Amino acid sequence: MPNLSRPDWEQRIRAGQSLLPDVQPVNPELAAKAVKIFDKLRIPDVIGQPTFGEAAGDWFRAIVSVLLGSLDPVTKERLIRELFLLVPKKNSKTTNGAGLMMTAVMLNERPNAEFLIVAPTKDIADLAFKQASGMVRADRGLQRRFHIQDHIKCLTFRPTGATLRVKAFSPDVMTGVKPAGVLVDEEHIIALKSDAESVMGQIRGGMISQPEAFLAIITTQSDKPPRGVFREDLLQARAIRDGKSHREADDGALIPVGNGILPVLYEFPGKIQQPAKLPGEQAPWEDVRLWSMVLPNAGRSITVKRLEEEYENARAKGIQELARWASQHLNVEIGLALRSDRWVGADFWLSASDPDLTLEALIDRSDVIVAGIDGGGLDDLLSLAVLGRDRITQEWMHWGKNWVFEGILELRKREASQLKDFETQGDLIIVSTPGDDIEQLADVLETVDMSGKLALVGLDPMGVGAVVDALAVRSISSPRVVGVSQGWTLSGAIKTAERKLADGTLVHGARPIMGWAISNAKVEPRGNAIIITKQAAGYLKIDPLMALLNAVTLMSKNPSPPEGGRIDDFLKGGMLSA
């Protein structure tokens, strides 16, 4: 099996060199033939319809050579079974992909072989078929060798009977198909679908019986934090590129990386990918001089000058549009999906992260701890926020845990893959039996209470009876368990949290589920106050954030540990309000 790593990729991408691994095609004659076929294809939507040989970049020609030339001439087994290409928009992604598949069809020797282009939407599928069929219509020789069936988006190569079909992504895309080659376009969009993991599994499973089969994934970065099957394929491709035999899972376990996967990722090195430290400042990737690193087709289908104009327009529209633009045109990975009506604290969230902050570390460093609880309905997350006060620096430290009833995965299909990611990352527990979530939450708080530092537990007073009972069994009860008023009365906690995030005195464990919840939050003015409510968020979940705000309300009262004797002083008057 060839070594497909490129551990020196950062130096090479800075120097504008090839990102492909240092391997030679196992079948050089077949590789040369593939490039020859590819170069003769005409680009149908460019003035003059030049050939790929005249207009395509060497970067993609090299991919055609390495991937299609990896078929062992003796065993007829393909040694490179997958391609993962991450490339920004306007770099001829769809056109090059169509050219790759047309080349594969004509190179294929298996009678009646089946090739597929799978697109996330009908519009993208239509575009892919238009490009592939356009290549046939632009060449008289190909017109004689191919039969075009526009109504079913199918091209048949007459000499072998091989077909190239273009389909929109759906659960039945693989019905009755044993593909010799599949191209998946824009996997980051496909990953948003609830059945994405299952269908991608079917595609890979359908290739097993064909030793020469290959899967090519060609995609841009996601305009939201990567999730689902796209996130998994992206992480695996990065691990292979970096020369790792294993990659670390979200729970710390080591996962072997796949063999036979060709990773080609046009993305900035980590330091350049970083967001701006403060709102209004420029991020490292906003330096126009760096953009050519991730634009392999610069000077052909796109120019840096054109991107500069689009960048200025996006920046003028605000941080939300700028982040979306950067993800699509520069492959900048979004850490937090920001909204135009977002909570101000979201702008400072990423800069306030401490990935080493575990619950154990929080307990050890704190002189006092409070906890906030939110949610718990069968359509909600049950969220726990533990907030500690550092005994030396006095900064506030946040750690969280969440639970959800398994029925929500069926009820909220659009968020199912995201919730499964959080489960894998260890921040969300999916329970099958109602009540298990409350018992497990109470167990966590019992562990915290054993430190002798748990001063208060605050929660929405509506529908909390079962939680209060579970805590009482563990000797956590009134006066330490209190109701926290919701709605506009949380305005003080909202403003306190955003100020402390901005000045660096509130830190958190950099957990993706909190970033997701904060991305979902909408701020609404209410008189002289501001509110963040579940009603405003709609179907999007903000329970982890609401739990944090409940905890902030308590910590704002400057509590002491239970044995300090000061808790009753500010509990007089009953329910706490912000």
Side-chain angles (χ1 to χ4, degrees):
M1 189 63 65
N3 180 4
L4 299 178
S5 67
R6 186 86 263 183
D8 60 344
W9 72 273
E10 290 194 18
Q11 292 79 13
R12 298 183 68 85
I13 200 169
R14 290 177 186 273
Q17 298 174 335
S18 171
L19 299 183
L20 268 71
D22 190 16
V23 296
Q24 297 298 320
V26 67
N27 193 333
E29 292 184 3
L30 187 64
K33 185 177 180 180
V35 172
K36 184 177 181 179
I37 293 173
F38 177 78
D39 279 348
K40 288 184 177 180
L41 294 171
R42 293 192 173 276
I43 303 175
D45 59 348
V46 174
I47 295 174
Q49 295 186 324
T51 63
F52 279 111
E54 297 166 334
D58 288 338
W59 68 279
F60 198 83
R61 191 174 289 107
I63 291 174
V64 171
S65 173
V66 171
L67 178 63
L68 299 185
S70 68
L71 188 66
D72 190 300
V74 177
T75 66
K76 300 300 181 180
E77 180 181 359
R78 191 171 301 281
L79 300 185
I80 299 178
R81 299 277 287 178
E82 293 192 23
L83 162 70
F84 186 90
L85 172 60
L86 184 74
V87 64
K89 281 186 175 181
K90 299 185 179 178
N91 282 272
S92 295
K93 176 178 58 62
T94 299
T95 302
N96 284 339
L100 170 69
M101 296 305 289
M102 287 291 293
T103 301
V105 169
M106 288 185 276
L107 208 62
N108 160 75
E109 296 179 353
R110 180 185 292 273
N112 304 314
E114 298 173 295
F115 294 82
L116 289 175
I117 297 178
V118 180
T121 65
K122 181 180 182 299
D123 288 342
I124 297 177
D126 288 343
L127 175 60
F129 182 74
K130 183 178 179 182
Q131 295 298 88
S133 61
M135 293 173 192
V136 174
R137 292 187 169 102
D139 186 294
R140 288 187 178 180
L142 293 184
Q143 290 178 29
R144 292 192 297 269
R145 303 176 77 188
F146 276 92
H147 174 50
I148 302 176
Q149 294 172 279
D150 291 289
H151 62 294
I152 58 172
K153 295 186 180 65
C154 179
L155 299 173
T156 302
F157 187 55
R158 290 188 172 101
T160 61
T163 58
L164 173 60
R165 297 178 184 270
V166 181
K167 295 186 178 184
F169 185 89
S170 68
D172 61 352
V173 71
M174 288 297 294
T175 301
V177 177
K178 294 181 179 179
V182 181
L183 185 145
V184 174
D185 196 3
E186 298 291 27
E187 190 187 32
H188 76 278
I189 300 177
I190 286 173
L192 301 178
K193 300 178 183 293
S194 61
D195 48 12
E197 184 177 359
S198 172
V199 177
M200 290 299 293
Q202 290 178 25
I203 290 174
R204 288 183 165 104
M207 294 165 45
I208 293 176
S209 61
Q210 314 281 29
E212 79 278 17
F214 68 88
L215 167 63
I217 297 171
I218 303 181
T219 183
T220 58
Q221 183 54 268
S222 174
D223 60 1
K224 298 178 176 64
R227 60 186 274 186
V229 66
F230 169 66
R231 177 177 177 272
E232 287 301 308
D233 287 339
L234 176 61
L235 292 176
Q236 172 148 276
R238 285 173 175 165
I240 295 171
R241 174 198 63 188
D242 297 343
K244 298 177 181 178
S245 59
H246 292 75
R247 69 174 178 86
E248 187 173 344
D250 296 304
D251 60 0
L254 294 180
I255 301 175
V257 299
N259 293 318
I261 300 176
L262 175 64
V264 186
L265 294 90
Y266 286 93
E267 60 181 359
F268 291 121
K271 291 183 179 179
I272 301 176
Q273 284 259 9
Q274 295 298 316
K277 293 183 179 179
L278 294 172
E281 291 185 357
Q282 284 197 336
W285 57 261
E286 293 184 72
D287 186 345
V288 177
R289 295 171 297 179
L290 303 176
W291 292 0
S292 59
M293 279 195 275
V294 296
L295 303 174
N297 232 47
R300 298 180 182 87
S301 58
I302 186 61
T303 64
V304 173
K305 183 178 180 181
R306 171 71 183 277
L307 280 185
E308 277 191 81
E309 297 171 358
E310 294 185 358
Y311 160 77
E312 293 296 342
N313 290 334
R315 188 172 181 83
K317 292 178 182 178
I319 190 171
Q320 178 185 8
E321 175 59 19
L322 179 61
R324 186 208 63 79
W325 180 88
S327 71
Q328 298 301 285
H329 296 279
L330 297 176
N331 273 349
V332 174
E333 183 173 326
I334 291 179
L336 202 65
L338 299 177
R339 317 169 59 93
S340 58
D341 52 359
R342 67 189 178 278
W343 172 45
V344 175
D347 293 355
F348 304 95
W349 185 259
L350 293 178
S351 62
S353 63
D354 177 3
D356 296 326
L357 183 60
T358 62
L359 179 60
E360 292 75 16
L362 183 151
I363 293 173
D364 181 63
R365 292 168 53 184
S366 297
D367 66 348
V368 67
I369 297 172
V370 298
I373 300 172
D374 190 80
L378 295 185
D379 188 27
D380 288 323
L381 275 63
L382 175 62
S383 297
L384 169 65
V386 177
L387 195 63
R389 186 178 64 202
D390 191 290
R391 63 177 177 274
I392 298 174
T393 66
Q394 297 296 291
E395 69 181 1
W396 296 0
M397 303 170 289
H398 167 263
W399 176 91
K401 195 76 171 182
N402 304 269
W403 293 261
V404 71
F405 183 59
E406 64 180 0
I408 199 175
L409 299 180
E410 184 65 26
L411 184 63
R412 304 291 184 186
K413 289 185 177 180
R414 71 175 78 185
E415 297 301 319
S417 64
Q418 184 73 83
L419 296 176
K420 288 179 181 177
D421 282 348
F422 296 147
E423 180 187 31
T424 302
Q425 292 156 5
D427 297 317
L428 178 68
I429 297 175
I430 300 175
V431 299
S432 57
T433 304
D436 286 355
D437 51 350
I438 293 174
E439 291 298 317
Q440 292 177 28
L441 180 150
D443 287 342
V444 173
L445 283 179
E446 184 178 29
T447 299
V448 175
D449 193 37
M450 289 175 64
S451 69
K453 300 176 181 180
L454 181 62
L456 294 166
V457 178
L459 60 172
D460 182 346
M462 300 298 293
V464 297
V467 176
V468 172
D469 291 344
L471 292 176
V473 170
R474 293 160 177 82
S475 301
I476 306 172
S477 57
S478 179
R480 288 196 293 161
V481 178
V482 299
V484 178
S485 297
Q486 304 294 295
W488 68 268
T489 57
L490 276 179
S491 182
I494 294 170
K495 293 178 179 179
T496 297
E498 62 192 38
R499 281 186 172 275
K500 293 188 74 65
L501 285 168
D503 66 21
T505 57
L506 170 56
V507 298
H508 57 85
R511 303 310 303 166
I513 195 168
M514 281 302 300
W516 171 72
I518 286 170
S519 299
N520 293 340
K522 294 182 181 180
V523 171
E524 292 184 351
R526 188 67 57 86
N528 293 327
I530 57 173
I531 64 170
I532 297 175
T533 66
K534 296 180 182 180
Q535 289 77 17
Y539 74 89
L540 299 170
K541 296 301 178 185
I542 61 171
D543 306 275
L545 172 59
M546 300 307 293
L548 171 60
L549 294 177
N550 288 342
V552 167
T553 299
L554 302 183
M555 191 64 83
S556 298
K557 304 297 182 178
N558 193 29
S560 295
E563 61 271 25
R566 293 176 52 205
I567 295 176
D568 290 336
D569 294 342
F570 63 85
L571 282 179
K572 294 176 181 178
M575 184 181 299
L576 285 168
S577 64

